[in-house]
Amino acid sequence: MLASARATVEFFGLTPSSHLVLPLSPGYIAGMMQIVRAEVAGCRLTVEEPSSCPLAGWCEGGSGRVSLLPVVPAQVEGLLRSGVTGMVDNLIVGGAPLASALEERIVSSGCRAYATYGMTETCSHVALRRLGCGEFTALPGFTFATDAEGCLAIESRTLSFGRLLTTDVVELTSATSFRWLGRADNVINSGGVKIHPEEVERVMAPLLPPGAMAYVGSCPSARWGSEAVIVTDSDAVTDALIDRLRSLLPRHHCPKGVVRVDRIRLTPTNKIIRERIE
């Protein structure tokens, strides 16, 4: 945890004069790490009760600028609505994928914000992607490689795991940068064409009806073995969405139909649980 915190402190140039805010539960690694970062930098830490609207009333409180603020996607809407992003020097968003429309709003706000890449095994993030850009960049002390299947290997000279092989498929652009494509265990092999659901979902997300939730899964196909489908629990998602996707996706990557389920289940951190469709 100390090694991870030192990397973040170095990346953002945190010093004893910095001011960190913790709007997350310290029961999760993201919250724990913000406490350790403040200790390593020797700086001020303000702890808030976790809520959907971090920094509420911050302007009125006169508490000054925030050097680093970690949030999850569910908190971004409230943060933007409060109008205090101009008080935040660096915003990091992690815990779940960020919807493209929400990312565009953060970029438009002028806030310097980053998406994180990491996991509990790496004690928080090992790479950051500046919102509005496509590549993740390694924190100090980390380098990257890929295996024969294109899965990311994280190599560290400071953490005890040394080399950690993930199930994330990436496009490696250098030893310290990559583009994330999706999870290897989510890949849909449809007639020999490998479809990354996450890439299709990034295109699909801005087209979903307000409030609707959906993801790309697969179901058996007599012709192709498997085929991509849109899985949703909303009646507002129809075949009209597929018609729109046909003009935006490669021919064989477009979902072939809409499958409705009673309810899309979520993890405690609001990540979609992808069900097997028979």
Short mmCIF file of all heavy atoms in Angstrom, two decimals, residues 83-147:
data_model
loop_
_atom_site.label_atom_id
_atom_site.label_comp_id
_atom_site.label_asym_id
_atom_site.label_seq_id
_atom_site.Cartn_x
_atom_site.Cartn_y
_atom_site.Cartn_z
N GLY A 83 -21.31 22.06 -9.26
CA GLY A 83 -20.56 23.17 -9.84
C GLY A 83 -19.24 23.47 -9.17
O GLY A 83 -18.71 24.58 -9.30
N VAL A 84 -18.65 22.48 -8.47
CA VAL A 84 -17.41 22.74 -7.74
C VAL A 84 -16.20 22.08 -8.41
O VAL A 84 -15.11 22.06 -7.82
CB VAL A 84 -17.51 22.26 -6.28
CG1 VAL A 84 -18.57 23.05 -5.54
CG2 VAL A 84 -17.81 20.77 -6.20
N THR A 85 -16.35 21.55 -9.61
CA THR A 85 -15.21 20.89 -10.25
C THR A 85 -14.05 21.85 -10.48
O THR A 85 -12.90 21.42 -10.56
CB THR A 85 -15.62 20.26 -11.60
OG1 THR A 85 -16.26 21.25 -12.42
CG2 THR A 85 -16.59 19.10 -11.38
N GLY A 86 -14.34 23.13 -10.57
CA GLY A 86 -13.27 24.12 -10.73
C GLY A 86 -12.38 24.23 -9.52
O GLY A 86 -11.28 24.80 -9.59
N MET A 87 -12.81 23.67 -8.39
CA MET A 87 -12.02 23.68 -7.16
C MET A 87 -11.12 22.45 -7.05
O MET A 87 -10.34 22.33 -6.11
CB MET A 87 -12.95 23.73 -5.94
CG MET A 87 -13.93 24.88 -5.92
SD MET A 87 -13.14 26.45 -5.54
CE MET A 87 -12.72 26.20 -3.82
N VAL A 88 -11.26 21.51 -8.00
CA VAL A 88 -10.55 20.23 -7.93
C VAL A 88 -9.39 20.24 -8.94
O VAL A 88 -9.60 20.39 -10.14
CB VAL A 88 -11.49 19.06 -8.23
CG1 VAL A 88 -10.74 17.73 -8.17
CG2 VAL A 88 -12.67 19.05 -7.25
N ASP A 89 -8.17 20.07 -8.43
CA ASP A 89 -7.00 20.04 -9.33
C ASP A 89 -6.93 18.73 -10.11
O ASP A 89 -6.61 18.74 -11.30
CB ASP A 89 -5.72 20.22 -8.50
CG ASP A 89 -5.60 21.59 -7.88
OD1 ASP A 89 -6.16 22.55 -8.46
OD2 ASP A 89 -4.97 21.71 -6.82
N ASN A 90 -7.21 17.61 -9.45
CA ASN A 90 -7.14 16.30 -10.10
C ASN A 90 -8.28 15.43 -9.60
O ASN A 90 -8.44 15.24 -8.39
CB ASN A 90 -5.81 15.60 -9.79
CG ASN A 90 -4.61 16.37 -10.31
OD1 ASN A 90 -4.37 16.42 -11.51
ND2 ASN A 90 -3.86 16.98 -9.40
N LEU A 91 -9.05 14.89 -10.54
CA LEU A 91 -10.16 13.99 -10.22
C LEU A 91 -9.84 12.62 -10.78
O LEU A 91 -9.44 12.50 -11.95
CB LEU A 91 -11.44 14.52 -10.86
CG LEU A 91 -12.71 13.67 -10.69
CD1 LEU A 91 -13.22 13.76 -9.26
CD2 LEU A 91 -13.80 14.13 -11.67
N ILE A 92 -9.97 11.57 -9.96
CA ILE A 92 -9.77 10.22 -10.48
C ILE A 92 -11.07 9.44 -10.29
O ILE A 92 -11.69 9.48 -9.23
CB ILE A 92 -8.58 9.49 -9.82
CG1 ILE A 92 -8.69 9.45 -8.30
CG2 ILE A 92 -7.27 10.14 -10.24
CD1 ILE A 92 -7.58 8.64 -7.63
N VAL A 93 -11.50 8.76 -11.37
CA VAL A 93 -12.76 8.03 -11.39
C VAL A 93 -12.47 6.56 -11.58
O VAL A 93 -11.84 6.17 -12.56
CB VAL A 93 -13.68 8.53 -12.52
CG1 VAL A 93 -15.05 7.87 -12.40
CG2 VAL A 93 -13.81 10.05 -12.50
N GLY A 94 -12.92 5.73 -10.63
CA GLY A 94 -12.64 4.31 -10.73
C GLY A 94 -13.78 3.49 -10.18
O GLY A 94 -14.83 4.01 -9.81
N GLY A 95 -13.58 2.18 -10.13
CA GLY A 95 -14.57 1.28 -9.56
C GLY A 95 -15.51 0.65 -10.56
O GLY A 95 -16.05 -0.42 -10.33
N ALA A 96 -15.74 1.32 -11.68
CA ALA A 96 -16.65 0.82 -12.73
C ALA A 96 -16.42 1.64 -13.98
O ALA A 96 -15.91 2.77 -13.91
CB ALA A 96 -18.10 0.91 -12.28
N PRO A 97 -16.79 1.10 -15.16
CA PRO A 97 -16.63 1.88 -16.40
C PRO A 97 -17.45 3.16 -16.35
O PRO A 97 -18.53 3.22 -15.75
CB PRO A 97 -17.16 0.92 -17.47
CG PRO A 97 -17.05 -0.44 -16.87
CD PRO A 97 -17.29 -0.26 -15.41
N LEU A 98 -16.93 4.20 -16.99
CA LEU A 98 -17.59 5.50 -17.04
C LEU A 98 -18.32 5.64 -18.36
O LEU A 98 -17.73 5.45 -19.43
CB LEU A 98 -16.54 6.61 -16.88
CG LEU A 98 -17.02 8.04 -16.75
CD1 LEU A 98 -17.85 8.23 -15.49
CD2 LEU A 98 -15.82 9.00 -16.73
N ALA A 99 -19.61 5.96 -18.32
CA ALA A 99 -20.39 6.14 -19.55
C ALA A 99 -19.78 7.26 -20.40
O ALA A 99 -19.33 8.28 -19.87
CB ALA A 99 -21.83 6.46 -19.20
N SER A 100 -19.78 7.06 -21.72
CA SER A 100 -19.15 8.03 -22.61
C SER A 100 -19.77 9.41 -22.50
O SER A 100 -19.07 10.43 -22.55
CB SER A 100 -19.21 7.53 -24.05
OG SER A 100 -20.55 7.28 -24.45
N ALA A 101 -21.09 9.49 -22.33
CA ALA A 101 -21.75 10.79 -22.21
C ALA A 101 -21.30 11.51 -20.95
O ALA A 101 -21.08 12.74 -20.95
CB ALA A 101 -23.27 10.61 -22.20
N LEU A 102 -21.12 10.78 -19.87
CA LEU A 102 -20.67 11.37 -18.61
C LEU A 102 -19.21 11.81 -18.73
O LEU A 102 -18.82 12.86 -18.21
CB LEU A 102 -20.83 10.36 -17.47
CG LEU A 102 -20.95 10.91 -16.05
CD1 LEU A 102 -22.02 11.98 -15.94
CD2 LEU A 102 -21.23 9.77 -15.08
N GLU A 103 -18.41 11.01 -19.43
CA GLU A 103 -17.01 11.40 -19.66
C GLU A 103 -16.93 12.70 -20.44
O GLU A 103 -16.13 13.59 -20.11
CB GLU A 103 -16.27 10.28 -20.40
CG GLU A 103 -14.83 10.65 -20.73
CD GLU A 103 -13.99 9.47 -21.18
OE1 GLU A 103 -14.35 8.31 -20.87
OE2 GLU A 103 -12.95 9.70 -21.83
N GLU A 104 -17.76 12.84 -21.45
CA GLU A 104 -17.77 14.07 -22.24
C GLU A 104 -18.14 15.28 -21.39
O GLU A 104 -17.60 16.37 -21.55
CB GLU A 104 -18.74 13.94 -23.42
CG GLU A 104 -18.27 12.96 -24.49
CD GLU A 104 -19.33 12.70 -25.54
OE1 GLU A 104 -20.38 13.38 -25.49
OE2 GLU A 104 -19.11 11.83 -26.40
N ARG A 105 -19.07 15.09 -20.46
CA ARG A 105 -19.48 16.20 -19.59
C ARG A 105 -18.35 16.60 -18.65
O ARG A 105 -18.15 17.79 -18.38
CB ARG A 105 -20.71 15.80 -18.79
CG ARG A 105 -21.99 15.72 -19.64
CD ARG A 105 -23.17 15.30 -18.79
NE ARG A 105 -23.42 16.25 -17.70
CZ ARG A 105 -24.20 16.00 -16.67
NH1 ARG A 105 -24.79 14.81 -16.57
NH2 ARG A 105 -24.38 16.91 -15.73
N ILE A 106 -17.59 15.63 -18.14
CA ILE A 106 -16.46 15.95 -17.28
C ILE A 106 -15.40 16.73 -18.06
O ILE A 106 -14.88 17.74 -17.59
CB ILE A 106 -15.84 14.68 -16.68
CG1 ILE A 106 -16.85 13.94 -15.82
CG2 ILE A 106 -14.61 15.03 -15.85
CD1 ILE A 106 -16.37 12.58 -15.35
N VAL A 107 -15.10 16.26 -19.27
CA VAL A 107 -14.11 16.95 -20.10
C VAL A 107 -14.57 18.38 -20.40
O VAL A 107 -13.79 19.33 -20.31
CB VAL A 107 -13.88 16.16 -21.41
CG1 VAL A 107 -12.99 16.96 -22.36
CG2 VAL A 107 -13.25 14.81 -21.12
N SER A 108 -15.85 18.54 -20.71
CA SER A 108 -16.39 19.87 -21.02
C SER A 108 -16.34 20.81 -19.82
O SER A 108 -16.28 22.03 -19.98
CB SER A 108 -17.83 19.76 -21.51
OG SER A 108 -17.90 19.02 -22.71
N SER A 109 -16.36 20.24 -18.60
CA SER A 109 -16.32 21.08 -17.41
C SER A 109 -14.96 21.72 -17.19
O SER A 109 -14.83 22.66 -16.39
CB SER A 109 -16.69 20.25 -16.17
OG SER A 109 -15.60 19.40 -15.79
N GLY A 110 -13.94 21.21 -17.89
CA GLY A 110 -12.59 21.76 -17.75
C GLY A 110 -11.80 21.13 -16.63
O GLY A 110 -10.64 21.47 -16.42
N CYS A 111 -12.40 20.19 -15.90
CA CYS A 111 -11.71 19.53 -14.80
C CYS A 111 -10.67 18.54 -15.34
O CYS A 111 -10.93 17.80 -16.28
CB CYS A 111 -12.72 18.79 -13.92
SG CYS A 111 -12.01 17.94 -12.50
N ARG A 112 -9.49 18.55 -14.73
CA ARG A 112 -8.46 17.58 -15.12
C ARG A 112 -8.80 16.26 -14.44
O ARG A 112 -8.65 16.11 -13.23
CB ARG A 112 -7.07 18.06 -14.69
CG ARG A 112 -5.96 17.14 -15.18
CD ARG A 112 -4.60 17.80 -15.12
NE ARG A 112 -4.24 18.18 -13.76
CZ ARG A 112 -3.11 18.79 -13.44
NH1 ARG A 112 -2.26 19.13 -14.39
NH2 ARG A 112 -2.85 19.08 -12.18
N ALA A 113 -9.26 15.31 -15.23
CA ALA A 113 -9.82 14.08 -14.67
C ALA A 113 -9.23 12.86 -15.36
O ALA A 113 -8.88 12.89 -16.54
CB ALA A 113 -11.34 14.08 -14.81
N TYR A 114 -9.16 11.76 -14.61
CA TYR A 114 -8.55 10.54 -15.09
C TYR A 114 -9.42 9.33 -14.74
O TYR A 114 -10.02 9.28 -13.66
CB TYR A 114 -7.17 10.32 -14.44
CG TYR A 114 -6.17 11.40 -14.69
CD1 TYR A 114 -6.18 12.57 -13.94
CD2 TYR A 114 -5.19 11.26 -15.67
CE1 TYR A 114 -5.25 13.58 -14.16
CE2 TYR A 114 -4.25 12.26 -15.90
CZ TYR A 114 -4.29 13.41 -15.14
OH TYR A 114 -3.37 14.41 -15.36
N ALA A 115 -9.46 8.36 -15.65
CA ALA A 115 -10.01 7.05 -15.35
C ALA A 115 -8.87 6.19 -14.81
O ALA A 115 -7.72 6.33 -15.25
CB ALA A 115 -10.61 6.41 -16.60
N THR A 116 -9.17 5.33 -13.87
CA THR A 116 -8.13 4.51 -13.26
C THR A 116 -8.16 3.09 -13.80
O THR A 116 -9.21 2.58 -14.19
CB THR A 116 -8.28 4.46 -11.74
OG1 THR A 116 -9.51 3.80 -11.40
CG2 THR A 116 -8.31 5.87 -11.15
N TYR A 117 -7.01 2.44 -13.79
CA TYR A 117 -6.93 1.01 -14.10
C TYR A 117 -6.17 0.34 -12.97
O TYR A 117 -5.02 0.70 -12.68
CB TYR A 117 -6.22 0.74 -15.43
CG TYR A 117 -6.10 -0.76 -15.68
CD1 TYR A 117 -7.14 -1.46 -16.26
CD2 TYR A 117 -4.98 -1.46 -15.25
CE1 TYR A 117 -7.06 -2.84 -16.44
CE2 TYR A 117 -4.89 -2.83 -15.41
CZ TYR A 117 -5.94 -3.52 -16.01
OH TYR A 117 -5.87 -4.88 -16.16
N GLY A 118 -6.80 -0.63 -12.34
CA GLY A 118 -6.15 -1.36 -11.26
C GLY A 118 -7.12 -2.33 -10.65
O GLY A 118 -8.24 -2.53 -11.14
N MET A 119 -6.71 -2.96 -9.57
CA MET A 119 -7.55 -3.96 -8.90
C MET A 119 -7.06 -4.09 -7.47
O MET A 119 -6.01 -3.54 -7.09
CB MET A 119 -7.46 -5.30 -9.64
CG MET A 119 -6.04 -5.82 -9.79
SD MET A 119 -5.82 -6.91 -11.21
CE MET A 119 -5.85 -5.72 -12.56
N THR A 120 -7.82 -4.83 -6.67
CA THR A 120 -7.45 -5.00 -5.26
C THR A 120 -6.05 -5.59 -5.15
O THR A 120 -5.25 -5.19 -4.28
CB THR A 120 -8.47 -5.90 -4.55
OG1 THR A 120 -9.76 -5.29 -4.65
CG2 THR A 120 -8.11 -6.06 -3.08
N GLU A 121 -5.71 -6.54 -6.04
CA GLU A 121 -4.41 -7.21 -5.96
C GLU A 121 -3.25 -6.24 -6.17
O GLU A 121 -2.13 -6.51 -5.73
CB GLU A 121 -4.32 -8.33 -7.02
CG GLU A 121 -5.25 -9.49 -6.75
CD GLU A 121 -6.65 -9.28 -7.30
OE1 GLU A 121 -7.00 -8.13 -7.68
OE2 GLU A 121 -7.41 -10.26 -7.35
N THR A 122 -3.49 -5.13 -6.87
CA THR A 122 -2.42 -4.16 -7.11
C THR A 122 -2.51 -2.97 -6.15
O THR A 122 -1.79 -1.99 -6.32
CB THR A 122 -2.48 -3.62 -8.57
OG1 THR A 122 -3.74 -2.94 -8.77
CG2 THR A 122 -2.33 -4.74 -9.57
N CYS A 123 -3.39 -3.07 -5.14
CA CYS A 123 -3.57 -1.96 -4.19
C CYS A 123 -3.89 -0.67 -4.94
O CYS A 123 -3.08 0.26 -4.99
CB CYS A 123 -2.36 -1.77 -3.29
SG CYS A 123 -2.18 -3.06 -2.07
N SER A 124 -5.06 -0.64 -5.56
CA SER A 124 -5.54 0.51 -6.32
C SER A 124 -4.90 0.55 -7.70
O SER A 124 -4.41 -0.46 -8.20
CB SER A 124 -5.30 1.81 -5.54
OG SER A 124 -6.02 2.87 -6.12
N HIS A 125 -4.89 1.73 -8.32
CA HIS A 125 -4.57 1.81 -9.74
C HIS A 125 -3.07 1.71 -10.01
O HIS A 125 -2.24 2.10 -9.20
CB HIS A 125 -5.11 3.12 -10.33
CG HIS A 125 -4.71 4.34 -9.57
ND1 HIS A 125 -5.50 4.90 -8.59
CD2 HIS A 125 -3.61 5.10 -9.63
CE1 HIS A 125 -4.90 5.96 -8.10
NE2 HIS A 125 -3.75 6.10 -8.71
N VAL A 126 -2.77 1.17 -11.21
CA VAL A 126 -1.38 1.11 -11.69
C VAL A 126 -1.23 1.95 -12.95
O VAL A 126 -0.11 2.14 -13.44
CB VAL A 126 -0.94 -0.34 -11.97
CG1 VAL A 126 -0.99 -1.17 -10.69
CG2 VAL A 126 -1.81 -0.97 -13.06
N ALA A 127 -2.35 2.43 -13.50
CA ALA A 127 -2.32 3.25 -14.72
C ALA A 127 -3.49 4.21 -14.70
O ALA A 127 -4.52 3.95 -14.06
CB ALA A 127 -2.37 2.37 -15.97
N LEU A 128 -3.33 5.32 -15.41
CA LEU A 128 -4.37 6.34 -15.48
C LEU A 128 -4.58 6.75 -16.93
O LEU A 128 -3.62 6.79 -17.72
CB LEU A 128 -3.98 7.57 -14.66
CG LEU A 128 -3.89 7.37 -13.14
CD1 LEU A 128 -3.13 8.53 -12.49
CD2 LEU A 128 -5.27 7.24 -12.53
N ARG A 129 -5.83 7.06 -17.26
CA ARG A 129 -6.15 7.56 -18.60
C ARG A 129 -6.79 8.93 -18.46
O ARG A 129 -7.83 9.07 -17.83
CB ARG A 129 -7.12 6.60 -19.31
CG ARG A 129 -7.59 7.10 -20.68
CD ARG A 129 -8.52 6.10 -21.35
NE ARG A 129 -9.78 5.92 -20.65
CZ ARG A 129 -10.84 6.74 -20.79
NH1 ARG A 129 -10.78 7.81 -21.58
NH2 ARG A 129 -11.95 6.49 -20.12
N ARG A 130 -6.17 9.94 -19.04
CA ARG A 130 -6.76 11.28 -19.02
C ARG A 130 -8.08 11.24 -19.78
O ARG A 130 -8.13 10.77 -20.93
CB ARG A 130 -5.80 12.29 -19.66
CG ARG A 130 -6.30 13.74 -19.67
CD ARG A 130 -6.18 14.38 -18.30
NE ARG A 130 -6.65 15.77 -18.33
CZ ARG A 130 -5.85 16.82 -18.52
NH1 ARG A 130 -4.54 16.63 -18.69
NH2 ARG A 130 -6.34 18.05 -18.54
N LEU A 131 -9.15 11.64 -19.15
CA LEU A 131 -10.45 11.59 -19.82
C LEU A 131 -10.42 12.42 -21.09
O LEU A 131 -9.89 13.52 -21.12
CB LEU A 131 -11.55 12.08 -18.89
CG LEU A 131 -11.81 11.25 -17.63
CD1 LEU A 131 -13.11 11.69 -16.96
CD2 LEU A 131 -11.86 9.75 -17.93
N GLY A 132 -11.00 11.87 -22.15
CA GLY A 132 -10.93 12.49 -23.46
C GLY A 132 -9.85 11.88 -24.32
O GLY A 132 -9.79 12.14 -25.53
N CYS A 133 -8.98 11.06 -23.71
CA CYS A 133 -7.92 10.37 -24.44
C CYS A 133 -8.16 8.86 -24.38
O CYS A 133 -8.92 8.38 -23.55
CB CYS A 133 -6.55 10.70 -23.84
SG CYS A 133 -6.17 12.47 -23.82
N GLY A 134 -7.47 8.11 -25.25
CA GLY A 134 -7.74 6.69 -25.34
C GLY A 134 -6.78 5.79 -24.61
O GLY A 134 -7.09 4.62 -24.36
N GLU A 135 -5.59 6.30 -24.24
CA GLU A 135 -4.55 5.43 -23.70
C GLU A 135 -4.40 5.56 -22.19
O GLU A 135 -4.48 6.66 -21.63
CB GLU A 135 -3.20 5.75 -24.35
CG GLU A 135 -3.10 5.35 -25.81
CD GLU A 135 -1.70 5.55 -26.35
OE1 GLU A 135 -0.80 5.92 -25.56
OE2 GLU A 135 -1.49 5.32 -27.56
N PHE A 136 -4.15 4.42 -21.55
CA PHE A 136 -3.75 4.41 -20.15
C PHE A 136 -2.24 4.52 -20.08
O PHE A 136 -1.52 3.90 -20.86
CB PHE A 136 -4.18 3.10 -19.47
CG PHE A 136 -5.64 3.06 -19.10
CD1 PHE A 136 -6.57 2.53 -19.98
CD2 PHE A 136 -6.07 3.55 -17.88
CE1 PHE A 136 -7.92 2.48 -19.64
CE2 PHE A 136 -7.41 3.51 -17.53
CZ PHE A 136 -8.35 2.98 -18.41
N THR A 137 -1.75 5.31 -19.12
CA THR A 137 -0.31 5.50 -18.91
C THR A 137 0.08 4.96 -17.55
O THR A 137 -0.61 5.19 -16.55
CB THR A 137 0.05 7.00 -18.99
OG1 THR A 137 -0.32 7.50 -20.28
CG2 THR A 137 1.54 7.21 -18.77
N ALA A 138 1.19 4.25 -17.50
CA ALA A 138 1.64 3.62 -16.27
C ALA A 138 2.04 4.65 -15.22
O ALA A 138 2.58 5.71 -15.55
CB ALA A 138 2.82 2.70 -16.55
N LEU A 139 1.79 4.33 -13.96
CA LEU A 139 2.33 5.10 -12.86
C LEU A 139 3.81 4.75 -12.70
O LEU A 139 4.26 3.70 -13.18
CB LEU A 139 1.58 4.79 -11.56
CG LEU A 139 0.44 5.75 -11.21
CD1 LEU A 139 -0.68 5.68 -12.23
CD2 LEU A 139 -0.11 5.44 -9.80
N PRO A 140 4.56 5.60 -12.04
CA PRO A 140 5.99 5.28 -11.83
C PRO A 140 6.16 3.93 -11.15
O PRO A 140 5.45 3.60 -10.20
CB PRO A 140 6.45 6.42 -10.90
CG PRO A 140 5.53 7.56 -11.20
CD PRO A 140 4.20 6.93 -11.50
N GLY A 141 7.08 3.13 -11.67
CA GLY A 141 7.37 1.82 -11.08
C GLY A 141 6.68 0.67 -11.77
O GLY A 141 6.89 -0.50 -11.38
N PHE A 142 5.86 0.93 -12.80
CA PHE A 142 5.13 -0.13 -13.49
C PHE A 142 5.43 -0.12 -14.98
O PHE A 142 5.61 0.95 -15.59
CB PHE A 142 3.62 0.03 -13.31
CG PHE A 142 3.15 -0.09 -11.87
CD1 PHE A 142 2.97 1.04 -11.09
CD2 PHE A 142 2.94 -1.33 -11.31
CE1 PHE A 142 2.55 0.94 -9.78
CE2 PHE A 142 2.51 -1.45 -9.99
CZ PHE A 142 2.33 -0.31 -9.22
N THR A 143 5.49 -1.30 -15.57
CA THR A 143 5.58 -1.47 -17.02
C THR A 143 4.59 -2.55 -17.43
O THR A 143 4.09 -3.30 -16.59
CB THR A 143 6.99 -1.85 -17.49
OG1 THR A 143 7.39 -3.04 -16.79
CG2 THR A 143 7.99 -0.72 -17.21
N PHE A 144 4.34 -2.66 -18.75
CA PHE A 144 3.32 -3.58 -19.24
C PHE A 144 3.85 -4.46 -20.37
O PHE A 144 4.77 -4.09 -21.10
CB PHE A 144 2.11 -2.80 -19.75
CG PHE A 144 1.52 -1.86 -18.73
CD1 PHE A 144 1.43 -0.50 -18.98
CD2 PHE A 144 1.08 -2.34 -17.51
CE1 PHE A 144 0.90 0.36 -18.04
CE2 PHE A 144 0.55 -1.50 -16.56
CZ PHE A 144 0.45 -0.13 -16.82
N ALA A 145 3.24 -5.63 -20.49
CA ALA A 145 3.49 -6.56 -21.59
C ALA A 145 2.18 -7.28 -21.86
O ALA A 145 1.18 -7.06 -21.17
CB ALA A 145 4.60 -7.53 -21.23
N THR A 146 2.16 -8.15 -22.87
CA THR A 146 0.97 -8.96 -23.15
C THR A 146 1.39 -10.41 -23.36
O THR A 146 2.53 -10.69 -23.73
CB THR A 146 0.22 -8.47 -24.40
OG1 THR A 146 1.14 -8.38 -25.51
CG2 THR A 146 -0.40 -7.09 -24.16
N ASP A 147 0.43 -11.31 -23.12
CA ASP A 147 0.70 -12.73 -23.39
C ASP A 147 0.24 -13.07 -24.81
O ASP A 147 -0.14 -12.17 -25.59
CB ASP A 147 0.04 -13.62 -22.35
CG ASP A 147 -1.49 -13.64 -22.45
OD1 ASP A 147 -2.05 -12.94 -23.32
OD2 ASP A 147 -2.13 -14.35 -21.66
#
